[in-house]
Amino acid sequence: MRRSAPGPGGGGGTIRFRTTFHNTIYDVFRARGWKETDSETEWDVAWVDTGWIRENFDTMHLEEHQRVNHFRNHYELTRKDCMNKNLKRMQRSLQREEKHEEARKYDFFPNTYVLPVDYGLFVEEFKHHQAGAIWIMKPIAKAQGKGIFLFNKLSQITEWKKDHRWKPDNPQAETYVVQRYLENPLLIGGKKFDLRIYALVTSFMPLVVYLYRSGFARFSSFRYNTNQKNLGDTYVHLTNVAVQKTGPGYDAGAGCKWALRSLKLYLIGKFGVQATDKLFYEIQELVISSLLSVQKVMIHDKHCFEMYGYDILIDETLKPWIIEVNASPSLTADTPQDYELKFGLLDDLYTVIDVENKLGGVIEECVGGYDLIYNNGPMKSDKQSCYTTRLGCFDDRVRQLKRLHKAHAKRASSSAQH
């Protein structure tokens, strides 16, 4: 493909964006005064799906200033089988190096097997668990709860194998992961929930990670139970909004989400500040550990960044578990509050990426709602704060951005004078 015109805006100043999405990201681009282009090459920022990356990235030459929202092999963390492979490998590597304390940190993912290749190993593991233990099956590359089901008998897998024309040597068989189902989730109002957390990686070499303070909890519509007759009830067991909004009695106006800060305040009221802060810090550590597990296998490119959507489950002991990581978390808003969250999330993202060079290449510790948590090493927590992480804390992003730009203008003025 031919080169794009040099410099942001093709030398004309106005940033040109390319995207096929007409949701919150499109609104952010327009609100920034950027100009849309249909060109395959002459753009400054591109927000594209993973399929576009797969089809186009290897044949493109990108100019110095161009930025795109995926790394070439993003799937190392966002495909369920690859994530499991990389987490296990990192754990084993640390054990071999006798870094046992670090290896113990990798206890945040359930026992996982890839089918059909690990079927024999899975059967052995299944037999070691007590009768009635629940497992969950997930297709490796689908989202929004599609294809997921629970089971507690091997005969139910046999039926699934017949339905999917499954044979160990059949390359056409759809790959699934099977995991021990976490049967003891923390419940609120008797209902199961999980968290959606957003992490922004601007570089893998060195690793630079920002964590967005805001997020949300997604609730199921019906009270949780593990009765045999209800194992197939997705409205009880799956918290995906795409699933819940099809359920009976779903209130589209209220939705099924709760702001992360509201959840944190609830947990502080129930379990105390120390226990809640420990939980949220462990979530932050989980994000960093998962990214370190893929750092060495990622194809680093200075033109790329990635905003990951982490799905986290909290069990009744306040231990966080990673469920999956999304390369393309939904940017479509369900409610006005959801829109406000996602607009701020994306607007602040492009302040961090800084294609207009307003921050002069400085890696800021706080940008809007984003906090720098890793910059070639973990960031030190604020000694003046009673919290070890800002995740779930109050997010006054507008005021923070005003202070940030004011400080940068002062630095720029001082440099000009010298």
Side-chain angles (χ1 to χ4, degrees), residues 49-264:
D49 59 30
T50 54
W52 188 93
I53 292 289
R54 184 173 58 252
E55 293 168 10
N56 296 286
F57 193 79
D58 291 342
T59 61
M60 294 190 73
H61 170 84
L62 295 179
E63 296 293 338
E64 179 74 21
H65 65 281
Q66 290 181 295
R67 297 291 181 270
V68 63
N69 65 311
H70 293 297
F71 285 91
R72 175 65 183 85
N73 58 335
H74 58 85
Y75 50 80
E76 292 289 353
L77 187 60
T78 59
R79 223 176 71 175
K80 299 176 185 70
D81 57 336
C82 293
M83 180 182 77
N84 177 62
K85 173 193 68 177
N86 287 309
L87 290 173
K88 283 183 175 178
R89 183 181 60 208
M90 186 67 167
Q91 191 178 46
R92 288 194 299 267
S93 174
L94 291 169
Q95 289 168 344
R96 283 196 302 270
E97 295 170 15
E98 297 190 353
K99 297 179 179 178
H100 300 297
E101 188 174 340
E102 289 183 50
R104 278 193 291 270
K105 290 182 180 179
Y106 286 83
D107 66 345
F108 50 77
F109 58 103
N111 284 351
T112 304
Y113 296 90
V114 179
L115 301 188
V117 292
D118 292 339
Y119 183 74
L121 292 172
F122 162 66
V123 170
E124 288 301 311
E125 177 75 15
F126 184 92
K127 290 176 180 176
H128 287 142
H129 287 266
Q130 64 184 37
I134 302 173
W135 297 76
I136 185 168
M137 291 274 288
K138 306 174 185 178
I140 62 166
K142 289 183 179 177
Q144 300 182 328
K146 294 174 183 174
I148 296 176
F149 65 93
L150 277 61
F151 67 96
N152 60 3
K153 297 177 182 176
L154 278 178
S155 59
Q156 293 162 303
I157 288 284
T158 305
E159 293 168 9
W160 170 80
K161 285 161 61 176
K162 290 177 182 176
D163 290 342
H164 288 71
R165 299 180 299 282
W166 183 90
K167 292 180 182 178
D169 58 350
N170 179 12
Q172 303 304 316
E174 184 174 12
T175 305
Y176 272 64
V177 293
V178 57
Q179 298 175 319
R180 184 74 171 83
Y181 186 58
L182 299 169
E183 297 183 45
N184 63 330
L186 179 66
L187 305 179
I188 296 180
K191 296 177 181 179
K192 181 181 175 180
F193 68 93
D194 68 1
L195 306 183
R196 167 57 59 85
I197 307 296
Y198 297 99
L200 171 63
V201 176
T202 58
S203 165
F204 272 101
M205 289 292 177
L207 182 62
V208 180
V209 187
Y210 286 85
L211 196 62
Y212 202 65
R213 291 188 190 186
S214 299
F216 52 84
R218 307 179 299 182
F219 283 81
S220 61
S221 301
F222 296 92
R223 295 179 71 85
Y224 178 77
N225 68 79
T226 54
N227 296 338
Q228 169 73 31
K229 65 178 182 179
N230 289 326
L231 287 187
D233 191 339
T234 55
Y235 302 126
V236 170
H237 295 285
L238 303 185
T239 59
N240 309 70
V241 176
V243 172
Q244 294 298 326
K245 68 182 182 182
T246 64
Y250 176 77
D251 185 343
C256 56
K257 298 176 182 176
W258 202 15
L260 188 62
R261 181 168 181 260
S262 298
L263 174 75
K264 190 172 188 177

Side-chain angles (χ1 to χ4, degrees), residues 304-352:
C304 303
F305 62 89
E306 195 89 42
M307 185 187 75
Y308 293 104
Y310 277 76
D311 292 344
I312 309 291
L313 184 77
I314 304 169
D315 71 19
E316 61 188 8
T317 68
L318 295 189
K319 174 180 173 59
W321 297 82
I322 190 169
I323 303 303
E324 64 181 32
V325 184
N326 299 274
S328 301
S330 172
L331 303 180
T332 302
D334 303 307
T335 64
Q337 294 79 13
D338 198 31
Y339 181 84
E340 183 180 358
L341 164 67
K342 289 174 178 174
F343 188 97
L345 170 78
L346 295 166
D347 192 36
D348 292 348
L349 180 152
Y350 277 102
T351 304
V352 174

